[in-house]
Amino acid sequence: MTEQTSPARTPQDLDELITGGIGDSPLRPDGTLKVRGEYAYSSDLWAQDMLWGATLRSPHPYARIDSIDIGPALAHPGVYAVLTHEDVPGENIYGLKVADTPVLARDIVRYQGEPVALVAADHPETARRALEKIVVEYEVFEPITDPERAAHDDTLPKLHPGGNVVRYQPIVTGDPNARADVVVSDVYTMGMQDQAFLGPESGLAVPGEDGGVDLFLATQWLHVDQRQTARALGLPVEKVRFTMSGVGGAFGGREDLSMQIHCCMLALHTARPVKMVYNREESFYGHVHRHPAKMYYEHGATKDGRLVYVKARMYFDGGAYASKTPVVVSNATSLGIGPYEVPNVDIKGWGLYTNNPPCGAMRGLGAVQPAYAYESQMDKLAEALRMDPVVLRRLNAVGEGSAMPTGQVLDYPAPVAELLERVRNIPLPPETRTEPVDIRELPGGAANTTHGEGIVRGVGYSVIVKNISYAEGADDYSTARVRLQAIGGHAIAMVHTAAAEVGQGLITVQQQIARSELGVERVNIHPNDTDVGDAGSSSASRQTYITGGAVKNACEAVREVLFDRVARRFGENPADLSLAGGKIVSEVTGVLADLVDVLGEDVIEETREYHHRQTYAMDPVTGQSRRVHVQHAFSAHRAVVDVDTELGLVKVVQLDCAQDVGRAINPDAVVGQIHGGSAQGLGLAVMEEIRVENGRIRNPSFTDYLIPTIVDMPPMTVDVIERADPNSPYGVRGVGEPPTISATPAIVNAIRHATGLNLTHTPVAPEHICGIEPR
């Protein structure tokens, strides 16, 4: 009996033979290696005869370089090169959004830690000792450290030719002079948070025989690094080849260049492979951080709780160079009222240059700061109205068809009220503690600071909105190359993109899409490099959406070629064909053939791009735009905290989340992203802050910069809902950033509820709770 006349087997039956497709949660191919400590990260790279690179950095936040003497360093045994700005072969300037950052400082240093010179030596300790022998004479200036003053004080020195304002963006809609029955206002500040990835900046540059260079590195965006590096090296872009190596976390901190140009310069100068690895202290100086902010907010509402107006002024400290500051201002202003319907809005946002450490991308870019402010305001407004804070939020929540303050209409599901209801319905932890008291369950834990005296409990809520992917007219796209062939009796797909796997599980997602689209079990992922088209950055919660769309398009193109071939061979209509379980199936006649047999020795390979819907820039005067963002995501948190009011210690007892993900391609990975994002939000709420005094970082180590550990993370219930976006591939909605944004205000609101304190700064420190500092 031939397959053509066998009992009908539907594509659905055959799909059961394929595991690990869309909607499944297959194991990550890199997961076991990482858990066992066997995974190779970029800092593990090695090459025969390689040298070690090191960077001399400015000790001053703001100074003029009068002279540099590299002679003593060059004379040091084992040193092969000492380079300064004079040795930059191409353009001595680069930047993500604005080209304003020197490869090596020429005359002015604008922040503590700015690169001044490079060394290559035969041993890392030799390189570090050579750095100490470089003599730099500085004329030190008084640094500019107050971003609000930088916005308005024209008497200050101009740190860049255009002045100290990177971007100013207002948003005005409705009546700017609207009046309300109940008004609450306050000034909120947020400290500087670090991405705190565990894998330091590192890479290995290998000079090529063609005069070019190959760089193996950990990054978030291969092609933008390649383009900036090629310009600085004075080389055609095709001679600067980048390949992804293992990434030990990113969270935005690898969007900007760190050692890329420096490592390549040293390799080309010495004609030897050169490796660079930052230590932890240097990492704090060598990458951007989250923008600190100062935000003035005023909310007005009717007596029954309807929002009438929101006014805000926001100042974002971008530090010495622009990085992603223009985007931070865009996101903060366009999302500055939260997921609420407000008829009258008057928002003004500034991004400023200062002599503080440079700030750029970090998870939740530009939405984290205003969310803390507007959600604090919503709790204060609820208290003034004597309303339940969840009821107030639900009353004003946006939904599908609502207009944002920019004028953009939400033409996809926006289940804000549902998320609030779902997170509220998650069971609360027991009110009573165990007897005898387990001190590990109390603030201070095993430090034995309390046995329950002075402990008060609070519950706090938040709900937020975050844009997904790039905005304001950016042509955001990704490229995927998919190959299908038969090897060893199996049909195997190969997916090749430049999309950076930074821990979010993108490798697995690409495999899942290819399995589902091509009906094959075996899917290999080609190493990510610049030999394929651009995939954009692994940021803005965009890769599953954009690169997933590109992989889907490339798979469909492969399938189209295959089906045309099958249709000619079997006399079938291509529209009736499908792939399932390694078989080619016709809706009319059933299984036609094994995919392996049809492929034979042929290879089908197609490359496709995916571009999302067009977006448009905001009006520079009113902030209005037809569509600023391609998509919005929504997340709600409820936090339960215990606070020791005598010592100011906080324990987050429970942290629950409800989030709309559109479509869960990998449900376990989605929950993992929400857990991880919530942990970073918890850190920002109660412990994570880079202390900067007069432009200098005071705590550049994991001894003094605290991050949550497993002991700090509470039990979590995650309620994932799937309200598909009709405009995105498979209906997906970005997942990674929203939980970071909503966790912080929920925790601070819970502390405020427990203590009755105003708490206008985050992270909330013990001194704020004990009244040592008036926050």
Side-chain angles (χ1 to χ4, degrees):
M1 184 178 293
T2 65
E3 286 185 303
Q4 288 90 328
T5 59
S6 63
R9 299 175 70 187
T10 66
Q12 289 75 20
D13 295 331
L14 294 167
D15 273 338
E16 294 177 0
L17 302 175
I18 300 295
T19 59
I22 291 173
D24 294 332
S25 296
L27 292 177
R28 293 173 50 158
D30 56 340
T32 301
L33 292 172
K34 288 179 176 176
V35 170
R36 290 178 174 174
E38 299 170 355
Y39 186 79
Y41 292 95
S42 60
S43 55
D44 297 315
L45 295 167
W46 182 89
Q48 186 73 33
D49 296 326
M50 75 179 187
L51 302 173
W52 292 80
T55 309
L56 180 70
R57 298 179 179 275
S58 166
H60 307 293
Y62 191 26
R64 181 186 306 281
I65 298 174
D66 287 335
S67 65
I68 304 176
D69 183 1
I70 65 173
L74 270 174
H76 190 75
V79 171
Y80 283 75
V82 181
L83 307 181
T84 69
H85 69 89
E86 295 179 346
D87 301 295
V88 178
E91 299 176 15
N92 187 32
I93 196 165
Y94 68 92
L96 271 177
K97 306 297 290 185
V98 179
D100 62 355
T101 309
V103 174
L104 293 170
R106 190 181 74 172
D107 50 2
I108 299 291
V109 291
R110 296 178 175 88
Y111 71 97
Q112 181 195 26
E114 180 156 358
V116 175
L118 308 172
V119 167
D122 57 8
H123 190 278
E125 184 59 32
T126 303
R128 285 191 288 269
R129 289 182 179 180
L131 292 180
E132 298 172 358
K133 294 180 177 292
I134 301 174
V135 180
V136 184
E137 299 290 339
Y138 294 97
E139 179 187 355
V140 179
F141 303 140
E142 182 68 24
I144 298 171
T145 59
D146 182 346
E148 185 175 3
R149 187 182 171 199
H152 304 298
D153 189 344
D154 293 334
T155 66
L156 291 175
K158 291 183 178 180
L159 296 179
H160 292 273
N164 295 329
V165 177
V166 181
R167 181 175 183 179
Y168 166 68
Q169 179 64 57
I171 295 183
V172 180
T173 184
D175 180 4
N177 299 311
R179 298 290 183 266
D181 300 325
V182 180
V183 175
V184 295
S185 63
D186 220 321
V187 184
Y188 301 92
T189 56
M190 178 174 286
M192 182 183 292
Q193 187 182 19
D194 188 66
Q195 294 85 352
F197 41 72
L198 299 185
E201 292 82 353
S202 53
L204 175 67
V206 181
E209 294 181 358
D210 62 349
V213 63
D214 290 270
L215 181 64
F216 303 85
L217 76 163
T219 183
Q220 289 182 243
W221 190 349
L222 284 166
H223 282 81
V224 79
D225 287 5
Q226 178 195 36
R227 291 191 289 269
Q228 293 177 91
T229 303
R231 285 194 293 269
L233 298 178
L235 290 173
V237 71
E238 63 270 14
K239 286 195 174 185
V240 180
R241 299 166 291 268
F242 280 19
T243 300
M244 280 290 295
S245 296
V247 182
F251 315 113
R254 301 187 198 272
E255 275 208 86
D256 291 81
L257 296 183
S258 56
M259 41 59 62
Q260 287 90 327
I261 299 173
H262 299 161
C263 200
C264 291
M265 281 177 58
L266 290 169
L268 290 171
H269 190 86
T270 61
R272 296 268 294 271
V274 173
K275 178 176 179 176
M276 296 188 78
V277 181
Y278 290 179
N279 62 30
R280 182 57 56 191
E281 180 175 343
E282 185 174 19
S283 182
F284 271 92
Y285 294 109
H287 67 254
V288 296
H289 313 285
R290 188 185 301 286
H291 289 69
K294 186 175 185 180
M295 301 167 285
Y296 297 79
Y297 263 82
E298 182 178 308
H299 281 58
T302 62
K303 292 178 181 178
D304 61 0
R306 293 282 181 182
L307 289 170
V308 176
Y309 70 82
V310 173
K311 297 179 181 179
R313 286 185 292 125
M314 297 182 275
Y315 299 92
F316 298 94
D317 186 351
Y321 297 105
S323 183
K324 296 298 280 290
T325 296
V327 183
V328 166
V329 173
S330 171
N331 290 351
T333 53
S334 62
L335 307 173
I337 66 169
Y340 304 112
E341 291 191 336
V342 183
N344 306 294
V345 176
D346 185 359
I347 290 177
K348 296 178 176 64
W350 287 264
L352 290 316
Y353 287 120
T354 67
N355 294 119
N356 292 321
C359 291
M362 186 175 174
R363 196 175 194 169
L365 179 72
V368 171
Q369 298 91 334
Y372 161 62
Y374 65 65
E375 284 301 270
S376 295
Q377 285 284 98
M378 292 299 284
D379 260 29
K380 292 176 183 179
L381 186 58
E383 182 179 7
L385 291 164
R386 298 187 178 181
M387 286 184 69
D388 181 289
V390 174
V391 172
L392 176 65
R393 287 173 168 86
R394 292 191 63 191
L395 178 66
N396 292 283
V398 297
E400 187 168 4
S402 295
M404 300 299 284
T406 59
Q408 178 175 350
V409 175
L410 303 178
D411 58 352
Y412 35 72
V416 175
E418 181 183 359
L419 293 174
L420 284 162
E421 192 63 24
R422 281 175 173 265
V423 79
R424 181 174 215 171
N425 289 338
I426 295 171
L428 286 162
E431 287 286 345
T432 57
R433 300 184 184 89
T434 59
E435 293 292 343
V437 174
D438 186 343
I439 62 172
R440 293 172 299 178
E441 297 178 357
L442 299 176
N448 198 23
T449 58
T450 181
H451 284 234
E453 311 89 350
I455 305 297
V456 292
R457 175 161 290 186
V459 179
Y461 291 86
S462 74
V463 64
I464 62 87
V465 58
K466 172 66 173 73
N467 66 299
I468 300 302
S469 207
Y470 304 147
E472 289 203 88
D475 182 16
D476 186 13
Y477 73 97
S478 183
T479 314
R481 180 181 300 144
V482 173
R483 171 184 293 185
L484 184 64
Q485 63 187 121
I487 302 176
H490 299 281
I492 298 177
M494 172 73 81
V495 178
H496 187 186
T497 74
E501 168 63 71
V502 295
Q504 78 275 44
L506 182 63
I507 289 174
T508 314
V509 165
Q510 292 177 86
Q511 290 176 318
Q512 290 179 260
I513 292 172
R515 287 192 189 107
S516 293
E517 293 294 336
L518 298 177
V520 297
E521 182 76 37
R522 301 191 179 190
V523 179
N524 297 328
I525 302 297
H526 190 285
N528 307 108
D529 55 34
T530 50
D531 285 342
V532 68
D534 201 341
S537 175
S538 286
S539 61
S541 302
R542 62 177 289 281
Q543 284 292 10
T544 296
Y545 187 144
I546 308 300
T547 293
V551 173
K552 179 176 184 289
N553 286 350
C555 287
E556 289 172 346
V558 167
R559 208 168 56 211
E560 183 179 349
V561 172
L562 178 69
F563 287 171
D564 284 345
R565 181 180 305 176
V566 171
R568 290 192 300 269
R569 176 175 171 183
F570 291 94
E572 295 280 343
N573 183 347
D576 295 333
L577 301 179
S578 62
L579 290 170
K583 310 287 186 181
I584 299 171
V585 184
S586 166
E587 289 184 7
V588 178
T589 56
V591 173
L592 294 176
D594 286 331
L595 179 56
V596 170
D597 294 336
V598 172
L599 286 170
E601 296 183 359
D602 292 343
V603 174
I604 301 176
E605 181 177 286
E606 296 292 331
T607 301
R608 292 292 185 274
E609 293 178 351
Y610 177 84
H611 298 248
H612 65 52
R613 293 191 296 170
Q614 185 176 354
T615 57
Y616 305 88
M618 287 188 285
D619 184 277
V621 177
T622 66
Q624 298 305 292
S625 171
R626 174 183 168 188
R627 186 186 300 119
V628 180
H629 303 296
V630 67
Q631 187 188 69
H632 294 79
F634 307 94
S635 176
H637 264 90
R638 183 190 64 196
V640 181
V641 304
D642 282 347
V643 183
D644 184 333
T645 56
E646 296 176 356
L647 296 179
L649 301 177
V650 176
K651 179 177 178 62
V652 182
V653 176
Q654 189 166 305
L655 186 60
D656 304 309
C657 181
Q659 185 169 331
D660 173 25
V661 303
R663 173 79 183 277
I665 300 293
N666 185 315
D668 284 356
V670 164
V671 173
Q673 283 283 290
I674 293 172
H675 275 266
S678 299
Q680 284 189 305
L682 183 153
L684 180 57
V686 295
M687 63 182 74
E688 291 192 46
E689 182 173 8
I690 296 177
R691 299 285 184 169
V692 180
E693 296 178 8
N694 205 31
R696 300 175 184 272
I697 297 178
R698 295 304 188 189
N699 57 334
S701 75
F702 284 167
T703 299
D704 300 310
Y705 180 89
L706 304 181
I707 58 177
T709 68
I710 193 170
V711 176
D712 300 295
M713 280 306 295
M716 282 191 68
T717 297
V718 176
D719 188 352
V720 174
I721 68 172
E722 300 180 68
R723 304 288 181 264
D725 181 347
N727 308 294
S728 68
Y730 307 112
V732 300
R733 198 185 300 270
V735 174
E737 293 178 288
T740 297
I741 304 166
S742 51
T744 300
I747 293 168
V748 177
N749 284 344
I751 300 170
R752 192 181 288 118
H753 175 244
T755 63
L757 297 171
N758 194 17
L759 302 178
T760 59
H761 179 81
T762 189
V764 178
E767 54 265 31
H768 304 153
I769 295 170
C770 295
I772 299 173
E773 291 189 15
R775 294 291 189 183

